Amino acid sequence: MSARVTLALDAMGGDKAPEMVIRGAEIALERLPDLRFIIFGREEEIAALIPKDSPLSKAAEIRHSPDVVGADVKPSVALRNSRDTSMRHAIEAVREGSASGMVSAGNTGALMAMSKVALRTVPGIDRPAIASFFPTRRGESVMLDLGANIDCDAANLVQFAIMGDVFARAVLGMPKPTIGLLNVGAEDQKGHEHIRAAAAILRATTLPLDFRGFVEGDDIAAGTVDVIVTDGFTGNVALKTAEGMAKLITTFLRECFKSSLMARVGYVLSRTALKRLTQRVDPRRYNGAMFLGLNGIVVKSHGGTDEFGFANAIGVAADLCRQGFIERIRDEIGNLTQELNEKKAAAI
């Protein structure tokens, strides 16, 4: 039997909160009966959504948090005015140890800012990164950073590679993920100096990383490597481009199948295959971006998701908690720091 995990949920974050959060918790509890929840939000509103004597009513504790972080509020403003928000209390539950991790569909910038202040970063990690999944021809891959750090140096990229490796092993169950640095070409001389410097460190390290060198944009969907490492500016552009292309292809398919009577007949005949395709690329399946590098599990759900997507984000948080993700990051980063210090000492 798996170990019991308690997660803090920000019930008021997201476009369809709190109902989406509560229904998502119910779905997650059906999948993982050992989960326990501390749900932060407006108590009466949340209690009205949970049937008495339901499994969730027995697995959840509601803690009243009257205020909500606005969807468009700036992170600096959220830090100053977040004392009684559901997001702030959920993060503090992780810091205090009453929850092993937290999940929120609220404001991304505010969530990152509050999490960094409350939880700090793991020793040896300069900046946290946002990591999530991508569907590929080979299955699934992990990509980071997706927007937390616009500018990165070589040390940041190396740290991201280590965190991405542990993330892929913990959540996707990959025994030895392959890692690539996103670049403008696969040749060694291509790209910015800090990208080439990061590649040199990753090639020389004695850590058990399967680094495959540089990958290009078309390698993301191809699944050439399991972990794609880049700066937050490039990663966020790649993510939004992929989301936009998925919507464009869906629109084109709908238009094609409505274009004639024969096209409609073709839709009926291919409906089963199209359903499988839709399920394969359904963004709700890949919902749940992890803030890697913090001293605690913080998972960001897409604000516009539904209960199915939020349940998947809860599943990501539960997997990371059960796999001892934070402890594994501390160990790997500690080993890298020791290795680099020994090399510096030997060079003196």
Side-chain angles (χ1 to χ4, degrees):
M1 180 177 288
S2 57
R4 177 169 293 180
V5 170
T6 298
L7 297 177
L9 304 182
D10 169 15
M12 309 312 294
D15 298 345
K16 304 170 186 175
E19 184 172 2
M20 173 272 293
V21 174
I22 301 307
R23 301 295 169 247
E26 290 174 337
I27 294 171
L29 191 62
E30 290 175 3
R31 299 173 181 170
L32 303 167
D34 285 339
L35 281 180
R36 295 296 178 267
F37 300 110
I38 305 174
I39 302 177
F40 294 90
R42 293 168 182 154
E43 187 172 7
E44 291 185 2
E45 191 173 349
I46 294 168
L49 293 169
I50 303 176
K52 293 182 179 179
D53 298 324
S54 67
L56 184 59
S57 69
K58 299 173 184 177
E61 172 191 349
I62 304 172
R63 295 188 185 177
H64 185 58
S65 302
D67 296 336
V68 179
V69 175
D72 299 319
V73 69
K74 293 181 179 180
S76 58
V77 176
L79 279 173
R80 293 195 301 269
N81 304 320
S82 65
R83 183 173 180 177
D84 286 326
T85 62
S86 52
M87 181 184 289
R88 175 72 171 268
H89 286 307
I91 295 169
E92 290 179 346
V94 178
R95 183 186 64 185
E96 296 163 0
S98 55
S100 299
M102 70 86 68
V103 185
S104 173
N107 182 309
T108 302
L111 182 62
M112 176 62 85
M114 281 189 257
S115 298
K116 286 172 67 176
V117 170
L119 302 175
R120 306 294 181 184
T121 56
V122 170
I125 296 292
D126 299 322
R127 301 178 184 177
I130 301 175
S132 192
F133 311 107
F134 266 77
T136 74
R137 288 205 298 257
R138 295 197 306 118
E140 293 178 335
S141 66
V142 173
M143 188 168 177
L144 71 162
D145 176 27
L146 296 178
N149 306 281
I150 300 302
D151 297 310
C152 296
D153 59 20
N156 298 143
L157 295 176
V158 172
Q159 293 166 12
F160 295 171
I162 293 171
M163 293 191 294
D165 173 78
V166 178
F167 185 70
R169 283 187 275 141
V171 179
L172 297 180
M174 296 177 174
K176 194 170 184 180
T178 55
I179 302 168
L181 279 171
L182 189 61
N183 202 352
V184 295
E187 298 84 359
D188 290 346
Q189 71 274 17
K190 290 286 185 72
H192 294 300
E193 182 178 349
H194 66 278
I195 297 177
R196 300 198 303 272
I201 296 172
L202 290 168
R203 289 190 182 100
T205 184
T206 60
L207 295 177
L209 300 174
D210 191 357
F211 178 60
R212 299 293 180 88
F214 298 137
V215 294
E216 300 180 71
D218 57 349
D219 290 307
I220 298 174
T224 304
V225 293
D226 301 314
V227 178
I228 300 162
V229 178
T230 187
D231 60 82
F233 181 92
T234 306
N236 191 265
V237 170
L239 173 65
K240 297 300 172 59
T241 301
E243 291 176 346
M245 284 302 301
K247 293 177 182 177
L248 180 65
I249 292 171
T250 301
T251 300
F252 283 171
L253 281 172
R254 286 174 179 163
E255 290 174 353
C256 287
F257 282 123
K258 293 178 180 178
S259 61
S260 69
L261 177 60
M262 289 303 296
R264 291 187 178 93
V265 172
Y267 168 75
V268 172
L269 294 175
S270 59
R271 188 161 46 191
T272 300
L274 288 170
K275 183 177 181 180
R276 286 199 298 267
L277 171 63
T278 302
Q279 291 174 342
R280 181 99 182 257
V281 299
D282 187 347
R284 299 176 304 169
R285 289 186 58 201
Y286 308 97
N287 189 43
M290 170 66 186
F291 289 178
L292 304 184
L294 297 172
N295 267 309
I297 302 297
V298 176
V299 172
K300 171 66 174 70
S301 167
H302 195 291
T305 195
D306 61 8
E307 60 267 26
F308 179 78
F310 196 81
N312 286 336
I314 290 174
V316 170
D319 284 342
L320 291 168
C321 293
R322 289 199 171 105
Q323 292 293 328
F325 179 79
I326 301 300
E327 292 74 18
R328 292 164 71 174
I329 288 291
R330 289 195 186 106
D331 290 342
E332 295 289 345
I333 292 297
N335 291 337
L336 174 67
T337 302
Q338 180 179 348
E339 179 183 298
L340 294 177
N341 288 339
E342 289 173 353
K343 287 182 178 180
K344 288 180 182 178
I348 296 176

PDB file of all heavy atoms in Angstrom, residues 18 50 71 137 165 201 229 274 299 305 329-330:
ATOM      1  N   PRO A  18     -14.661  27.633  -6.725  1.00  0.00           N
ATOM      2  CA  PRO A  18     -14.018  26.471  -6.111  1.00  0.00           C
ATOM      3  C   PRO A  18     -14.577  25.117  -6.580  1.00  0.00           C
ATOM      4  O   PRO A  18     -14.051  24.088  -6.219  1.00  0.00           O
ATOM      5  CB  PRO A  18     -14.310  26.675  -4.634  1.00  0.00           C
ATOM      6  CG  PRO A  18     -15.664  27.320  -4.627  1.00  0.00           C
ATOM      7  CD  PRO A  18     -15.689  28.222  -5.830  1.00  0.00           C
ATOM      8  N   ILE A  50     -19.397  19.836  -0.905  1.00  0.00           N
ATOM      9  CA  ILE A  50     -18.968  18.490  -0.519  1.00  0.00           C
ATOM     10  C   ILE A  50     -20.121  17.772   0.179  1.00  0.00           C
ATOM     11  O   ILE A  50     -20.523  18.162   1.282  1.00  0.00           O
ATOM     12  CB  ILE A  50     -17.753  18.551   0.423  1.00  0.00           C
ATOM     13  CG1 ILE A  50     -16.602  19.329  -0.237  1.00  0.00           C
ATOM     14  CG2 ILE A  50     -17.294  17.141   0.790  1.00  0.00           C
ATOM     15  CD1 ILE A  50     -15.395  19.527   0.670  1.00  0.00           C
ATOM     16  N   ALA A  71      -6.590  37.273 -10.446  1.00  0.00           N
ATOM     17  CA  ALA A  71      -5.940  36.639 -11.597  1.00  0.00           C
ATOM     18  C   ALA A  71      -4.908  37.550 -12.246  1.00  0.00           C
ATOM     19  O   ALA A  71      -3.922  37.070 -12.816  1.00  0.00           O
ATOM     20  CB  ALA A  71      -6.994  36.227 -12.613  1.00  0.00           C
ATOM     21  N   ARG A 137       5.985  11.951 -30.102  1.00  0.00           N
ATOM     22  CA  ARG A 137       5.766  10.741 -30.888  1.00  0.00           C
ATOM     23  C   ARG A 137       6.158   9.492 -30.117  1.00  0.00           C
ATOM     24  O   ARG A 137       5.658   8.405 -30.388  1.00  0.00           O
ATOM     25  CB  ARG A 137       6.578  10.820 -32.198  1.00  0.00           C
ATOM     26  CG  ARG A 137       6.023  11.809 -33.200  1.00  0.00           C
ATOM     27  CD  ARG A 137       6.419  11.448 -34.617  1.00  0.00           C
ATOM     28  NE  ARG A 137       7.863  11.468 -34.815  1.00  0.00           N
ATOM     29  CZ  ARG A 137       8.507  12.442 -35.434  1.00  0.00           C
ATOM     30  NH1 ARG A 137       7.843  13.473 -35.907  1.00  0.00           N
ATOM     31  NH2 ARG A 137       9.808  12.397 -35.601  1.00  0.00           N
ATOM     32  N   ASP A 165      15.896  15.795 -14.708  1.00  0.00           N
ATOM     33  CA  ASP A 165      16.203  14.362 -14.647  1.00  0.00           C
ATOM     34  C   ASP A 165      15.463  13.697 -13.487  1.00  0.00           C
ATOM     35  O   ASP A 165      14.810  12.655 -13.657  1.00  0.00           O
ATOM     36  CB  ASP A 165      17.719  14.171 -14.492  1.00  0.00           C
ATOM     37  CG  ASP A 165      18.115  12.732 -14.248  1.00  0.00           C
ATOM     38  OD1 ASP A 165      18.147  11.943 -15.213  1.00  0.00           O
ATOM     39  OD2 ASP A 165      18.383  12.388 -13.070  1.00  0.00           O
ATOM     40  N   ILE A 201      29.815  21.445 -19.136  1.00  0.00           N
ATOM     41  CA  ILE A 201      29.728  20.960 -17.746  1.00  0.00           C
ATOM     42  C   ILE A 201      28.975  19.632 -17.690  1.00  0.00           C
ATOM     43  O   ILE A 201      29.391  18.697 -17.002  1.00  0.00           O
ATOM     44  CB  ILE A 201      29.030  22.008 -16.858  1.00  0.00           C
ATOM     45  CG1 ILE A 201      29.865  23.285 -16.784  1.00  0.00           C
ATOM     46  CG2 ILE A 201      28.784  21.453 -15.455  1.00  0.00           C
ATOM     47  CD1 ILE A 201      29.164  24.446 -16.097  1.00  0.00           C
ATOM     48  N   VAL A 229      15.935  21.061 -21.831  1.00  0.00           N
ATOM     49  CA  VAL A 229      16.343  22.135 -20.923  1.00  0.00           C
ATOM     50  C   VAL A 229      16.544  23.424 -21.719  1.00  0.00           C
ATOM     51  O   VAL A 229      17.226  23.430 -22.752  1.00  0.00           O
ATOM     52  CB  VAL A 229      17.653  21.760 -20.195  1.00  0.00           C
ATOM     53  CG1 VAL A 229      18.091  22.903 -19.278  1.00  0.00           C
ATOM     54  CG2 VAL A 229      17.466  20.467 -19.402  1.00  0.00           C
ATOM     55  N   LEU A 274     -10.357   9.586 -34.312  1.00  0.00           N
ATOM     56  CA  LEU A 274     -10.256  10.986 -33.918  1.00  0.00           C
ATOM     57  C   LEU A 274     -10.398  11.150 -32.413  1.00  0.00           C
ATOM     58  O   LEU A 274      -9.758  12.013 -31.809  1.00  0.00           O
ATOM     59  CB  LEU A 274     -11.334  11.806 -34.634  1.00  0.00           C
ATOM     60  CG  LEU A 274     -11.112  12.038 -36.133  1.00  0.00           C
ATOM     61  CD1 LEU A 274     -12.356  12.640 -36.757  1.00  0.00           C
ATOM     62  CD2 LEU A 274      -9.908  12.945 -36.362  1.00  0.00           C
ATOM     63  N   VAL A 299       2.701  22.705  -7.026  1.00  0.00           N
ATOM     64  CA  VAL A 299       2.268  22.355  -8.376  1.00  0.00           C
ATOM     65  C   VAL A 299       1.239  23.372  -8.846  1.00  0.00           C
ATOM     66  O   VAL A 299       0.265  23.660  -8.153  1.00  0.00           O
ATOM     67  CB  VAL A 299       1.678  20.930  -8.431  1.00  0.00           C
ATOM     68  CG1 VAL A 299       1.050  20.650  -9.796  1.00  0.00           C
ATOM     69  CG2 VAL A 299       2.766  19.901  -8.134  1.00  0.00           C
ATOM     70  N   THR A 305      -8.430  25.116 -16.550  1.00  0.00           N
ATOM     71  CA  THR A 305      -8.719  23.686 -16.646  1.00  0.00           C
ATOM     72  C   THR A 305     -10.042  23.337 -15.979  1.00  0.00           C
ATOM     73  O   THR A 305     -10.662  24.163 -15.304  1.00  0.00           O
ATOM     74  CB  THR A 305      -7.572  22.866 -16.025  1.00  0.00           C
ATOM     75  OG1 THR A 305      -7.693  21.489 -16.422  1.00  0.00           O
ATOM     76  CG2 THR A 305      -7.620  22.943 -14.502  1.00  0.00           C
ATOM     77  N   ILE A 329      16.459  15.855  -5.010  1.00  0.00           N
ATOM     78  CA  ILE A 329      17.062  17.063  -5.584  1.00  0.00           C
ATOM     79  C   ILE A 329      18.219  17.537  -4.709  1.00  0.00           C
ATOM     80  O   ILE A 329      19.305  17.889  -5.209  1.00  0.00           O
ATOM     81  CB  ILE A 329      16.013  18.190  -5.724  1.00  0.00           C
ATOM     82  CG1 ILE A 329      15.034  17.871  -6.856  1.00  0.00           C
ATOM     83  CG2 ILE A 329      16.691  19.540  -5.966  1.00  0.00           C
ATOM     84  CD1 ILE A 329      15.635  17.934  -8.236  1.00  0.00           C
ATOM     85  N   ARG A 330      18.015  17.545  -3.393  1.00  0.00           N
ATOM     86  CA  ARG A 330      19.080  17.966  -2.480  1.00  0.00           C
ATOM     87  C   ARG A 330      20.321  17.107  -2.667  1.00  0.00           C
ATOM     88  O   ARG A 330      21.456  17.613  -2.705  1.00  0.00           O
ATOM     89  CB  ARG A 330      18.598  17.878  -1.031  1.00  0.00           C
ATOM     90  CG  ARG A 330      17.579  18.927  -0.635  1.00  0.00           C
ATOM     91  CD  ARG A 330      17.443  18.991   0.879  1.00  0.00           C
ATOM     92  NE  ARG A 330      16.359  19.886   1.276  1.00  0.00           N
ATOM     93  CZ  ARG A 330      15.193  19.478   1.740  1.00  0.00           C
ATOM     94  NH1 ARG A 330      14.946  18.185   1.882  1.00  0.00           N
ATOM     95  NH2 ARG A 330      14.264  20.349   2.086  1.00  0.00           N
TER      96      ARG A 330
END
